[in-house]
Amino acid sequence: MAAFTQQAAELTPAGLNWLADFNQRGRERWKVTPFPTRKTENWKYTSLQALADGSYLRWPQAKGAELSEQVDAIEGLDACALIFVNGVFAESLSCNNLPESVEVVRFSQANESQQQAILAKLGSIADSEKHLFAALNDSWLQEGVYLHVAKNAHVKQPIYIHHITTPEAENFAVNQRLLVHVESSAEATVVEHFSSTEEAQNCFTNAITELQLDANARLTHYHLHLEEENTLHIGGVHVNLERDATLNSFMMSLGANLQRTDVVVNHRGEGAHCGLNGIYLPNHKHTVDFHTCIEHAVPNCTTHEVFRGIIGDHGKAVFNGRIHIHQDAQKTVADLSNKNLLTSHNAEVDTKPELEIYADDVKCSHGATIAQLEEKALYYLQSRGVDRERAEIMLSFGFINELLEQLAHVPVRDYLTPLVSELFEKKFDRARASA
Amino acid sequence: MLSIKDLRANVGDKEILKGLSLEVKAGEVHAIMGPNGSGKSTLGHVLAGRENYEATAGSVDFDGKNLLDMDIEERSREGLFLAFQYPVEIPGVSNMEFLKTAVDAVREHRGMEPIDSVQFMKLAREKCKAVNLDDQFLKRGVNEGFSGGEKKRNELMQMMLLEPKLCIMDETDSGLDIDALQVVAEGVNAMRSEDRAIVLVTHYQRLLDYIKPDFVHVLSGGKIIKSGDRSLALELEEKGYGWITKEVA
């Protein structure tokens, strides 16, 4: 893999001048960080072999593809939408109603003061020394989105960032970046939607999201991996929470050849809250990998984290949920739950909750379960005339739907619910066909 | 309608029913009473087909068919309904969706088309009203966060929607306050008809003040040890179960 490291470092962006130093620092860090092997703890269960031959190390050829008919956007969101196709900005900003207190700008369009603001925060949340692919993202960075919400501003309109991939003649890589700065007592919603056109995909996406929430800021965040199955996607969501800030984040991975997401939340100010929910549904030969790490560095913060997955066929899920409570972080309240359902004998899940506590006055719980469907509930449904296969589908759906029901934005919920139910229906049809 | 002969059944490895016989005809209401651990609930689950509740001997004929040969869902579609003592909570599955799926499954079995959604909604609201359940319950997860009484009324509502031939009500009265009991009793009484039979499994005579049974049976030690009319229930209320078990012994 040393070859891959070298080749990837040689792939340089048609970058922006003001980012050149930043790119260079990323490149240097990338080059000195050893490439993970199966012996690297953080990558123990997820292979990067698909990247090894270097075939993805090429920028996409298309410039601003026209895809309007195939864009499967979330309807009714009434959002400020930015759409990118293979990393290239594709549709004009439709942010008509944004108040002046909000800036949404692409890096390539940033004026000088915006450039300064971006450089001040960029890379300060995602630690590229600890996160190899963040370093690679730094080195490859050319286009990104900067969202800035000024003090006390309440933005009702969600900011919707939709990344679409579409196949090209040869494999290629897309580098994506989102930097969000919500100033004190401001409130916003960000929806990150990754999807692809329906054909066989040949894209490797490396996406980094940095979220800075100042004191008492609130952010609702959606991170939706809904790409076709042959995509490779490695991404990270890195968050800083200052005093009394609240993040509610929902993540979903429908499953693909590789979907790896590293989530890091830093509680940096007292009274901050992090709500982190996630769903993953790998089947076929998918690999979905979530590594979440919540750093409680200060007292009186809370974390509520729930991840649920259903793994079918030859699918594989990896969940590593770390909560690290530093010595000073007294009165922390944190709980983490990870539940998994396996619906096939060949499915695999590797789950590891990790609670590391150095403070003595905290309330924490964590648990991970791997189970089959509950026999009692199946019996109840069957006793009402529902056949076994249908009952299994209903219960699986219910297991996931419990988290979907909690989503604050109805259009997002209405968009995701049929996707999930359709996935289970397909399974049902297959079960019927083979019966 | 239901003819049980010398039924023996195990729960796991343990024999619970030890030669139980019972005849129930259409139009009749039977009450099965008995002390704790006598096998009352087991009987319901054996008839409904629950896994691990295994009939080892005897026969159960349901409207001319061998009930014990059928899958759980088939028994339901043929018209057997067990109202659970402890209805199961299924978060994430809406009550409405569950009810419609169940009704459509039974309709399909009867050679009918799936019910139109709008029509079903109307019907479900009606039935909610009949059992005094706010129709918001239709949107919630199946039994999720329902109180004991609400769960029992939800069972009754399912029974009304599925229109079974044979209703087995497993301790539907337990845990209900007097108002809820009356609602449930009214609902059950409204279901009484010439072509339907009802078996009430209960611990308390109280229910039988509101639903008057045609027959009362005492189940003890896995068998029916005494049968009679309503007066038997009153006698049990007065004297407890001890005298019968002694009398039979």
PDB file of all heavy atoms in Angstrom, chain A residues 375 379-388 390 394-395 398 401-402, chain B residues 45 50-51 73 76-77 82 90-93 98 102 105 143 155 158:
ATOM      1  N   GLU A 375     -39.200 -13.769  18.843  1.00  0.00           N
ATOM      2  CA  GLU A 375     -40.158 -14.842  18.551  1.00  0.00           C
ATOM      3  C   GLU A 375     -41.573 -14.491  19.039  1.00  0.00           C
ATOM      4  O   GLU A 375     -42.565 -14.762  18.363  1.00  0.00           O
ATOM      5  CB  GLU A 375     -39.651 -16.132  19.196  1.00  0.00           C
ATOM      6  CG  GLU A 375     -40.138 -17.408  18.562  1.00  0.00           C
ATOM      7  CD  GLU A 375     -39.931 -17.479  17.038  1.00  0.00           C
ATOM      8  OE1 GLU A 375     -38.788 -17.312  16.551  1.00  0.00           O
ATOM      9  OE2 GLU A 375     -40.945 -17.700  16.354  1.00  0.00           O
ATOM     10  N   TYR A 379     -44.919 -14.312  16.752  1.00  0.00           N
ATOM     11  CA  TYR A 379     -46.101 -15.116  17.104  1.00  0.00           C
ATOM     12  C   TYR A 379     -47.342 -14.236  17.168  1.00  0.00           C
ATOM     13  O   TYR A 379     -48.401 -14.581  16.637  1.00  0.00           O
ATOM     14  CB  TYR A 379     -45.835 -15.815  18.441  1.00  0.00           C
ATOM     15  CG  TYR A 379     -47.038 -16.429  19.119  1.00  0.00           C
ATOM     16  CD1 TYR A 379     -47.863 -17.335  18.441  1.00  0.00           C
ATOM     17  CD2 TYR A 379     -47.344 -16.133  20.449  1.00  0.00           C
ATOM     18  CE1 TYR A 379     -48.955 -17.911  19.083  1.00  0.00           C
ATOM     19  CE2 TYR A 379     -48.423 -16.708  21.094  1.00  0.00           C
ATOM     20  CZ  TYR A 379     -49.239 -17.585  20.404  1.00  0.00           C
ATOM     21  OH  TYR A 379     -50.321 -18.143  21.042  1.00  0.00           O
ATOM     22  N   TYR A 380     -47.191 -13.091  17.786  1.00  0.00           N
ATOM     23  CA  TYR A 380     -48.326 -12.174  17.920  1.00  0.00           C
ATOM     24  C   TYR A 380     -48.851 -11.767  16.542  1.00  0.00           C
ATOM     25  O   TYR A 380     -50.055 -11.826  16.275  1.00  0.00           O
ATOM     26  CB  TYR A 380     -47.890 -10.946  18.715  1.00  0.00           C
ATOM     27  CG  TYR A 380     -49.008 -10.005  19.076  1.00  0.00           C
ATOM     28  CD1 TYR A 380     -50.021 -10.390  19.942  1.00  0.00           C
ATOM     29  CD2 TYR A 380     -49.035  -8.712  18.564  1.00  0.00           C
ATOM     30  CE1 TYR A 380     -51.033  -9.515  20.293  1.00  0.00           C
ATOM     31  CE2 TYR A 380     -50.049  -7.825  18.917  1.00  0.00           C
ATOM     32  CZ  TYR A 380     -51.051  -8.226  19.777  1.00  0.00           C
ATOM     33  OH  TYR A 380     -52.052  -7.361  20.122  1.00  0.00           O
ATOM     34  N   LEU A 381     -47.946 -11.400  15.651  1.00  0.00           N
ATOM     35  CA  LEU A 381     -48.374 -10.999  14.304  1.00  0.00           C
ATOM     36  C   LEU A 381     -48.996 -12.176  13.560  1.00  0.00           C
ATOM     37  O   LEU A 381     -50.035 -12.040  12.919  1.00  0.00           O
ATOM     38  CB  LEU A 381     -47.183 -10.448  13.511  1.00  0.00           C
ATOM     39  CG  LEU A 381     -46.599  -9.117  13.998  1.00  0.00           C
ATOM     40  CD1 LEU A 381     -45.371  -8.740  13.184  1.00  0.00           C
ATOM     41  CD2 LEU A 381     -47.627  -7.995  13.899  1.00  0.00           C
ATOM     42  N   GLN A 382     -48.352 -13.330  13.674  1.00  0.00           N
ATOM     43  CA  GLN A 382     -48.889 -14.514  12.975  1.00  0.00           C
ATOM     44  C   GLN A 382     -50.264 -14.886  13.508  1.00  0.00           C
ATOM     45  O   GLN A 382     -51.133 -15.330  12.760  1.00  0.00           O
ATOM     46  CB  GLN A 382     -47.944 -15.701  13.142  1.00  0.00           C
ATOM     47  CG  GLN A 382     -46.703 -15.615  12.277  1.00  0.00           C
ATOM     48  CD  GLN A 382     -45.786 -16.803  12.551  1.00  0.00           C
ATOM     49  OE1 GLN A 382     -44.991 -16.773  13.484  1.00  0.00           O
ATOM     50  NE2 GLN A 382     -45.919 -17.846  11.762  1.00  0.00           N
ATOM     51  N   SER A 383     -50.452 -14.698  14.803  1.00  0.00           N
ATOM     52  CA  SER A 383     -51.739 -15.080  15.395  1.00  0.00           C
ATOM     53  C   SER A 383     -52.861 -14.170  14.916  1.00  0.00           C
ATOM     54  O   SER A 383     -54.018 -14.399  15.204  1.00  0.00           O
ATOM     55  CB  SER A 383     -51.654 -15.049  16.917  1.00  0.00           C
ATOM     56  OG  SER A 383     -51.764 -13.714  17.374  1.00  0.00           O
ATOM     57  N   ARG A 384     -52.487 -13.119  14.182  1.00  0.00           N
ATOM     58  CA  ARG A 384     -53.492 -12.236  13.580  1.00  0.00           C
ATOM     59  C   ARG A 384     -53.579 -12.481  12.079  1.00  0.00           C
ATOM     60  O   ARG A 384     -54.046 -11.624  11.327  1.00  0.00           O
ATOM     61  CB  ARG A 384     -53.145 -10.768  13.852  1.00  0.00           C
ATOM     62  CG  ARG A 384     -53.086 -10.401  15.328  1.00  0.00           C
ATOM     63  CD  ARG A 384     -54.392 -10.706  16.055  1.00  0.00           C
ATOM     64  NE  ARG A 384     -54.358 -10.350  17.456  1.00  0.00           N
ATOM     65  CZ  ARG A 384     -54.433 -11.227  18.454  1.00  0.00           C
ATOM     66  NH1 ARG A 384     -54.519 -12.533  18.187  1.00  0.00           N
ATOM     67  NH2 ARG A 384     -54.448 -10.829  19.697  1.00  0.00           N
ATOM     68  N   GLY A 385     -53.039 -13.603  11.645  1.00  0.00           N
ATOM     69  CA  GLY A 385     -53.198 -13.982  10.248  1.00  0.00           C
ATOM     70  C   GLY A 385     -52.073 -13.539   9.334  1.00  0.00           C
ATOM     71  O   GLY A 385     -52.074 -13.817   8.135  1.00  0.00           O
ATOM     72  N   VAL A 386     -51.096 -12.817   9.881  1.00  0.00           N
ATOM     73  CA  VAL A 386     -49.987 -12.315   9.068  1.00  0.00           C
ATOM     74  C   VAL A 386     -48.987 -13.456   8.856  1.00  0.00           C
ATOM     75  O   VAL A 386     -48.586 -14.100   9.817  1.00  0.00           O
ATOM     76  CB  VAL A 386     -49.289 -11.139   9.798  1.00  0.00           C
ATOM     77  CG1 VAL A 386     -48.133 -10.606   8.971  1.00  0.00           C
ATOM     78  CG2 VAL A 386     -50.295 -10.038  10.115  1.00  0.00           C
ATOM     79  N   ASP A 387     -48.600 -13.697   7.602  1.00  0.00           N
ATOM     80  CA  ASP A 387     -47.706 -14.851   7.434  1.00  0.00           C
ATOM     81  C   ASP A 387     -46.293 -14.548   7.921  1.00  0.00           C
ATOM     82  O   ASP A 387     -45.906 -13.397   8.105  1.00  0.00           O
ATOM     83  CB  ASP A 387     -47.729 -15.437   6.016  1.00  0.00           C
ATOM     84  CG  ASP A 387     -47.312 -14.455   4.961  1.00  0.00           C
ATOM     85  OD1 ASP A 387     -46.341 -13.723   5.203  1.00  0.00           O
ATOM     86  OD2 ASP A 387     -47.962 -14.426   3.902  1.00  0.00           O
ATOM     87  N   ARG A 388     -45.556 -15.598   8.138  1.00  0.00           N
ATOM     88  CA  ARG A 388     -44.258 -15.499   8.801  1.00  0.00           C
ATOM     89  C   ARG A 388     -43.316 -14.512   8.096  1.00  0.00           C
ATOM     90  O   ARG A 388     -42.719 -13.657   8.730  1.00  0.00           O
ATOM     91  CB  ARG A 388     -43.640 -16.900   8.859  1.00  0.00           C
ATOM     92  CG  ARG A 388     -42.246 -16.970   9.422  1.00  0.00           C
ATOM     93  CD  ARG A 388     -42.256 -17.144  10.904  1.00  0.00           C
ATOM     94  NE  ARG A 388     -40.912 -17.083  11.457  1.00  0.00           N
ATOM     95  CZ  ARG A 388     -40.610 -17.313  12.729  1.00  0.00           C
ATOM     96  NH1 ARG A 388     -41.560 -17.613  13.581  1.00  0.00           N
ATOM     97  NH2 ARG A 388     -39.379 -17.230  13.145  1.00  0.00           N
ATOM     98  N   ARG A 390     -43.979 -12.057   6.070  1.00  0.00           N
ATOM     99  CA  ARG A 390     -44.470 -10.687   6.184  1.00  0.00           C
ATOM    100  C   ARG A 390     -44.217 -10.162   7.599  1.00  0.00           C
ATOM    101  O   ARG A 390     -43.819  -9.018   7.798  1.00  0.00           O
ATOM    102  CB  ARG A 390     -45.968 -10.663   5.820  1.00  0.00           C
ATOM    103  CG  ARG A 390     -46.710  -9.371   6.089  1.00  0.00           C
ATOM    104  CD  ARG A 390     -46.172  -8.172   5.353  1.00  0.00           C
ATOM    105  NE  ARG A 390     -46.205  -8.293   3.914  1.00  0.00           N
ATOM    106  CZ  ARG A 390     -45.667  -7.407   3.066  1.00  0.00           C
ATOM    107  NH1 ARG A 390     -45.070  -6.328   3.539  1.00  0.00           N
ATOM    108  NH2 ARG A 390     -45.725  -7.598   1.773  1.00  0.00           N
ATOM    109  N   MET A 394     -42.156  -6.869   8.699  1.00  0.00           N
ATOM    110  CA  MET A 394     -42.772  -5.813   9.512  1.00  0.00           C
ATOM    111  C   MET A 394     -41.928  -5.507  10.741  1.00  0.00           C
ATOM    112  O   MET A 394     -41.722  -4.347  11.104  1.00  0.00           O
ATOM    113  CB  MET A 394     -44.191  -6.214   9.943  1.00  0.00           C
ATOM    114  CG  MET A 394     -45.201  -6.160   8.819  1.00  0.00           C
ATOM    115  SD  MET A 394     -46.823  -6.763   9.330  1.00  0.00           S
ATOM    116  CE  MET A 394     -47.456  -5.317  10.184  1.00  0.00           C
ATOM    117  N   LEU A 395     -41.430  -6.556  11.370  1.00  0.00           N
ATOM    118  CA  LEU A 395     -40.629  -6.341  12.578  1.00  0.00           C
ATOM    119  C   LEU A 395     -39.288  -5.682  12.255  1.00  0.00           C
ATOM    120  O   LEU A 395     -38.835  -4.802  12.980  1.00  0.00           O
ATOM    121  CB  LEU A 395     -40.385  -7.662  13.305  1.00  0.00           C
ATOM    122  CG  LEU A 395     -41.592  -8.285  13.992  1.00  0.00           C
ATOM    123  CD1 LEU A 395     -41.161  -9.529  14.749  1.00  0.00           C
ATOM    124  CD2 LEU A 395     -42.250  -7.309  14.942  1.00  0.00           C
ATOM    125  N   GLY A 398     -39.948  -2.134  11.598  1.00  0.00           N
ATOM    126  CA  GLY A 398     -40.268  -1.447  12.843  1.00  0.00           C
ATOM    127  C   GLY A 398     -39.023  -1.111  13.651  1.00  0.00           C
ATOM    128  O   GLY A 398     -38.915  -0.038  14.235  1.00  0.00           O
ATOM    129  N   ASN A 401     -37.622   1.765  11.866  1.00  0.00           N
ATOM    130  CA  ASN A 401     -38.568   2.878  11.810  1.00  0.00           C
ATOM    131  C   ASN A 401     -38.671   3.629  13.131  1.00  0.00           C
ATOM    132  O   ASN A 401     -38.972   4.813  13.159  1.00  0.00           O
ATOM    133  CB  ASN A 401     -39.948   2.347  11.394  1.00  0.00           C
ATOM    134  CG  ASN A 401     -40.892   3.472  11.027  1.00  0.00           C
ATOM    135  OD1 ASN A 401     -40.488   4.450  10.407  1.00  0.00           O
ATOM    136  ND2 ASN A 401     -42.147   3.348  11.423  1.00  0.00           N
ATOM    137  N   GLU A 402     -38.382   2.925  14.211  1.00  0.00           N
ATOM    138  CA  GLU A 402     -38.379   3.589  15.511  1.00  0.00           C
ATOM    139  C   GLU A 402     -37.471   4.811  15.517  1.00  0.00           C
ATOM    140  O   GLU A 402     -37.778   5.823  16.131  1.00  0.00           O
ATOM    141  CB  GLU A 402     -37.844   2.610  16.566  1.00  0.00           C
ATOM    142  CG  GLU A 402     -38.912   1.971  17.398  1.00  0.00           C
ATOM    143  CD  GLU A 402     -38.275   1.209  18.547  1.00  0.00           C
ATOM    144  OE1 GLU A 402     -37.780   0.097  18.298  1.00  0.00           O
ATOM    145  OE2 GLU A 402     -38.260   1.732  19.667  1.00  0.00           O
TER     146      GLU A 402
ATOM    147  N   HIS B  45     -52.758 -20.873  24.098  1.00  0.00           N
ATOM    148  CA  HIS B  45     -51.583 -20.846  23.225  1.00  0.00           C
ATOM    149  C   HIS B  45     -51.448 -22.124  22.400  1.00  0.00           C
ATOM    150  O   HIS B  45     -50.990 -22.086  21.260  1.00  0.00           O
ATOM    151  CB  HIS B  45     -50.320 -20.600  24.048  1.00  0.00           C
ATOM    152  CG  HIS B  45     -50.220 -19.190  24.564  1.00  0.00           C
ATOM    153  ND1 HIS B  45     -50.321 -18.093  23.749  1.00  0.00           N
ATOM    154  CD2 HIS B  45     -50.055 -18.701  25.818  1.00  0.00           C
ATOM    155  CE1 HIS B  45     -50.217 -16.991  24.477  1.00  0.00           C
ATOM    156  NE2 HIS B  45     -50.060 -17.334  25.739  1.00  0.00           N
ATOM    157  N   ARG B  50     -48.740 -21.579  19.290  1.00  0.00           N
ATOM    158  CA  ARG B  50     -47.468 -20.996  19.706  1.00  0.00           C
ATOM    159  C   ARG B  50     -46.341 -22.034  19.730  1.00  0.00           C
ATOM    160  O   ARG B  50     -46.544 -23.175  20.142  1.00  0.00           O
ATOM    161  CB  ARG B  50     -47.622 -20.396  21.106  1.00  0.00           C
ATOM    162  CG  ARG B  50     -46.365 -19.723  21.588  1.00  0.00           C
ATOM    163  CD  ARG B  50     -46.622 -18.986  22.876  1.00  0.00           C
ATOM    164  NE  ARG B  50     -45.455 -18.198  23.229  1.00  0.00           N
ATOM    165  CZ  ARG B  50     -45.431 -17.297  24.195  1.00  0.00           C
ATOM    166  NH1 ARG B  50     -46.518 -17.075  24.903  1.00  0.00           N
ATOM    167  NH2 ARG B  50     -44.346 -16.620  24.465  1.00  0.00           N
ATOM    168  N   GLU B  51     -45.178 -21.587  19.281  1.00  0.00           N
ATOM    169  CA  GLU B  51     -44.004 -22.453  19.273  1.00  0.00           C
ATOM    170  C   GLU B  51     -43.691 -22.900  20.697  1.00  0.00           C
ATOM    171  O   GLU B  51     -43.870 -22.139  21.647  1.00  0.00           O
ATOM    172  CB  GLU B  51     -42.817 -21.674  18.712  1.00  0.00           C
ATOM    173  CG  GLU B  51     -41.727 -22.578  18.172  1.00  0.00           C
ATOM    174  CD  GLU B  51     -40.611 -21.783  17.511  1.00  0.00           C
ATOM    175  OE1 GLU B  51     -40.904 -20.713  16.949  1.00  0.00           O
ATOM    176  OE2 GLU B  51     -39.477 -22.231  17.573  1.00  0.00           O
ATOM    177  N   GLU B  73     -50.663 -18.727  11.433  1.00  0.00           N
ATOM    178  CA  GLU B  73     -51.437 -17.748  10.668  1.00  0.00           C
ATOM    179  C   GLU B  73     -52.670 -18.388  10.014  1.00  0.00           C
ATOM    180  O   GLU B  73     -53.696 -17.749   9.851  1.00  0.00           O
ATOM    181  CB  GLU B  73     -50.566 -17.056   9.614  1.00  0.00           C
ATOM    182  CG  GLU B  73     -49.784 -17.956   8.682  1.00  0.00           C
ATOM    183  CD  GLU B  73     -48.339 -18.181   9.147  1.00  0.00           C
ATOM    184  OE1 GLU B  73     -48.147 -18.372  10.376  1.00  0.00           O
ATOM    185  OE2 GLU B  73     -47.428 -18.174   8.308  1.00  0.00           O
ATOM    186  N   SER B  76     -55.554 -18.485  12.395  1.00  0.00           N
ATOM    187  CA  SER B  76     -56.191 -17.179  12.481  1.00  0.00           C
ATOM    188  C   SER B  76     -57.091 -16.932  11.280  1.00  0.00           C
ATOM    189  O   SER B  76     -58.225 -16.484  11.411  1.00  0.00           O
ATOM    190  CB  SER B  76     -55.105 -16.112  12.575  1.00  0.00           C
ATOM    191  OG  SER B  76     -55.633 -14.849  12.287  1.00  0.00           O
ATOM    192  N   ARG B  77     -56.556 -17.263  10.104  1.00  0.00           N
ATOM    193  CA  ARG B  77     -57.339 -17.018   8.884  1.00  0.00           C
ATOM    194  C   ARG B  77     -58.578 -17.891   8.823  1.00  0.00           C
ATOM    195  O   ARG B  77     -59.582 -17.520   8.226  1.00  0.00           O
ATOM    196  CB  ARG B  77     -56.466 -17.271   7.658  1.00  0.00           C
ATOM    197  CG  ARG B  77     -55.370 -16.247   7.528  1.00  0.00           C
ATOM    198  CD  ARG B  77     -54.381 -16.638   6.463  1.00  0.00           C
ATOM    199  NE  ARG B  77     -53.210 -15.786   6.531  1.00  0.00           N
ATOM    200  CZ  ARG B  77     -52.142 -15.937   5.762  1.00  0.00           C
ATOM    201  NH1 ARG B  77     -52.104 -16.926   4.880  1.00  0.00           N
ATOM    202  NH2 ARG B  77     -51.128 -15.123   5.882  1.00  0.00           N
ATOM    203  N   LEU B  82     -57.150 -15.436  19.337  1.00  0.00           N
ATOM    204  CA  LEU B  82     -56.763 -15.463  20.741  1.00  0.00           C
ATOM    205  C   LEU B  82     -56.475 -14.037  21.185  1.00  0.00           C
ATOM    206  O   LEU B  82     -55.562 -13.390  20.668  1.00  0.00           O
ATOM    207  CB  LEU B  82     -55.515 -16.331  20.931  1.00  0.00           C
ATOM    208  CG  LEU B  82     -54.878 -16.296  22.327  1.00  0.00           C
ATOM    209  CD1 LEU B  82     -55.785 -16.947  23.368  1.00  0.00           C
ATOM    210  CD2 LEU B  82     -53.509 -16.985  22.327  1.00  0.00           C
ATOM    211  N   ILE B  90     -44.885  -3.692  19.885  1.00  0.00           N
ATOM    212  CA  ILE B  90     -44.022  -3.696  18.709  1.00  0.00           C
ATOM    213  C   ILE B  90     -43.758  -2.262  18.267  1.00  0.00           C
ATOM    214  O   ILE B  90     -44.455  -1.723  17.413  1.00  0.00           O
ATOM    215  CB  ILE B  90     -44.640  -4.517  17.556  1.00  0.00           C
ATOM    216  CG1 ILE B  90     -45.073  -5.895  18.072  1.00  0.00           C
ATOM    217  CG2 ILE B  90     -43.651  -4.655  16.408  1.00  0.00           C
ATOM    218  CD1 ILE B  90     -45.751  -6.767  17.045  1.00  0.00           C
ATOM    219  N   PRO B  91     -42.762  -1.620  18.852  1.00  0.00           N
ATOM    220  CA  PRO B  91     -42.473  -0.238  18.479  1.00  0.00           C
ATOM    221  C   PRO B  91     -42.051  -0.153  17.018  1.00  0.00           C
ATOM    222  O   PRO B  91     -41.440  -1.092  16.492  1.00  0.00           O
ATOM    223  CB  PRO B  91     -41.291   0.147  19.380  1.00  0.00           C
ATOM    224  CG  PRO B  91     -41.147  -0.943  20.373  1.00  0.00           C
ATOM    225  CD  PRO B  91     -41.803  -2.152  19.815  1.00  0.00           C
ATOM    226  N   GLY B  92     -42.386   0.950  16.384  1.00  0.00           N
ATOM    227  CA  GLY B  92     -41.950   1.155  15.006  1.00  0.00           C
ATOM    228  C   GLY B  92     -42.924   0.615  13.967  1.00  0.00           C
ATOM    229  O   GLY B  92     -42.839   0.961  12.797  1.00  0.00           O
ATOM    230  N   VAL B  93     -43.834  -0.278  14.382  1.00  0.00           N
ATOM    231  CA  VAL B  93     -44.857  -0.780  13.454  1.00  0.00           C
ATOM    232  C   VAL B  93     -46.169  -0.128  13.872  1.00  0.00           C
ATOM    233  O   VAL B  93     -46.627  -0.328  14.990  1.00  0.00           O
ATOM    234  CB  VAL B  93     -44.998  -2.316  13.531  1.00  0.00           C
ATOM    235  CG1 VAL B  93     -46.117  -2.796  12.637  1.00  0.00           C
ATOM    236  CG2 VAL B  93     -43.689  -2.984  13.169  1.00  0.00           C
ATOM    237  N   PHE B  98     -50.421  -2.551  10.990  1.00  0.00           N
ATOM    238  CA  PHE B  98     -50.567  -3.909  11.496  1.00  0.00           C
ATOM    239  C   PHE B  98     -51.992  -4.415  11.295  1.00  0.00           C
ATOM    240  O   PHE B  98     -52.221  -5.510  10.769  1.00  0.00           O
ATOM    241  CB  PHE B  98     -50.183  -3.914  12.987  1.00  0.00           C
ATOM    242  CG  PHE B  98     -50.712  -5.052  13.796  1.00  0.00           C
ATOM    243  CD1 PHE B  98     -50.377  -6.365  13.483  1.00  0.00           C
ATOM    244  CD2 PHE B  98     -51.534  -4.816  14.885  1.00  0.00           C
ATOM    245  CE1 PHE B  98     -50.866  -7.419  14.248  1.00  0.00           C
ATOM    246  CE2 PHE B  98     -52.035  -5.864  15.643  1.00  0.00           C
ATOM    247  CZ  PHE B  98     -51.701  -7.169  15.316  1.00  0.00           C
ATOM    248  N   ALA B 102     -53.301  -7.438   8.828  1.00  0.00           N
ATOM    249  CA  ALA B 102     -54.026  -8.592   9.381  1.00  0.00           C
ATOM    250  C   ALA B 102     -55.374  -8.766   8.689  1.00  0.00           C
ATOM    251  O   ALA B 102     -55.730  -9.875   8.262  1.00  0.00           O
ATOM    252  CB  ALA B 102     -54.208  -8.400  10.888  1.00  0.00           C
ATOM    253  N   ALA B 105     -54.910 -10.063   5.215  1.00  0.00           N
ATOM    254  CA  ALA B 105     -54.520 -11.473   5.193  1.00  0.00           C
ATOM    255  C   ALA B 105     -55.747 -12.368   5.345  1.00  0.00           C
ATOM    256  O   ALA B 105     -55.906 -13.373   4.647  1.00  0.00           O
ATOM    257  CB  ALA B 105     -53.506 -11.753   6.308  1.00  0.00           C
ATOM    258  N   ASN B 143     -49.330  -1.474  20.399  1.00  0.00           N
ATOM    259  CA  ASN B 143     -49.325  -1.599  21.873  1.00  0.00           C
ATOM    260  C   ASN B 143     -48.227  -0.800  22.563  1.00  0.00           C
ATOM    261  O   ASN B 143     -48.044  -0.927  23.782  1.00  0.00           O
ATOM    262  CB  ASN B 143     -49.208  -3.068  22.310  1.00  0.00           C
ATOM    263  CG  ASN B 143     -50.452  -3.852  21.968  1.00  0.00           C
ATOM    264  OD1 ASN B 143     -51.563  -3.377  22.178  1.00  0.00           O
ATOM    265  ND2 ASN B 143     -50.276  -5.045  21.424  1.00  0.00           N
ATOM    266  N   GLU B 155     -56.853  -5.347  21.831  1.00  0.00           N
ATOM    267  CA  GLU B 155     -57.113  -6.746  21.472  1.00  0.00           C
ATOM    268  C   GLU B 155     -58.554  -6.913  20.990  1.00  0.00           C
ATOM    269  O   GLU B 155     -58.833  -7.562  19.983  1.00  0.00           O
ATOM    270  CB  GLU B 155     -56.901  -7.673  22.694  1.00  0.00           C
ATOM    271  CG  GLU B 155     -55.481  -7.781  23.177  1.00  0.00           C
ATOM    272  CD  GLU B 155     -54.566  -8.471  22.184  1.00  0.00           C
ATOM    273  OE1 GLU B 155     -54.650  -9.689  22.015  1.00  0.00           O
ATOM    274  OE2 GLU B 155     -53.779  -7.748  21.559  1.00  0.00           O
ATOM    275  N   GLN B 158     -59.079  -5.526  17.576  1.00  0.00           N
ATOM    276  CA  GLN B 158     -58.596  -6.455  16.540  1.00  0.00           C
ATOM    277  C   GLN B 158     -59.623  -7.552  16.288  1.00  0.00           C
ATOM    278  O   GLN B 158     -59.876  -7.951  15.159  1.00  0.00           O
ATOM    279  CB  GLN B 158     -57.279  -7.093  16.986  1.00  0.00           C
ATOM    280  CG  GLN B 158     -56.119  -6.121  17.034  1.00  0.00           C
ATOM    281  CD  GLN B 158     -54.925  -6.712  17.760  1.00  0.00           C
ATOM    282  OE1 GLN B 158     -54.719  -7.919  17.735  1.00  0.00           O
ATOM    283  NE2 GLN B 158     -54.165  -5.879  18.419  1.00  0.00           N
TER     284      GLN B 158
END
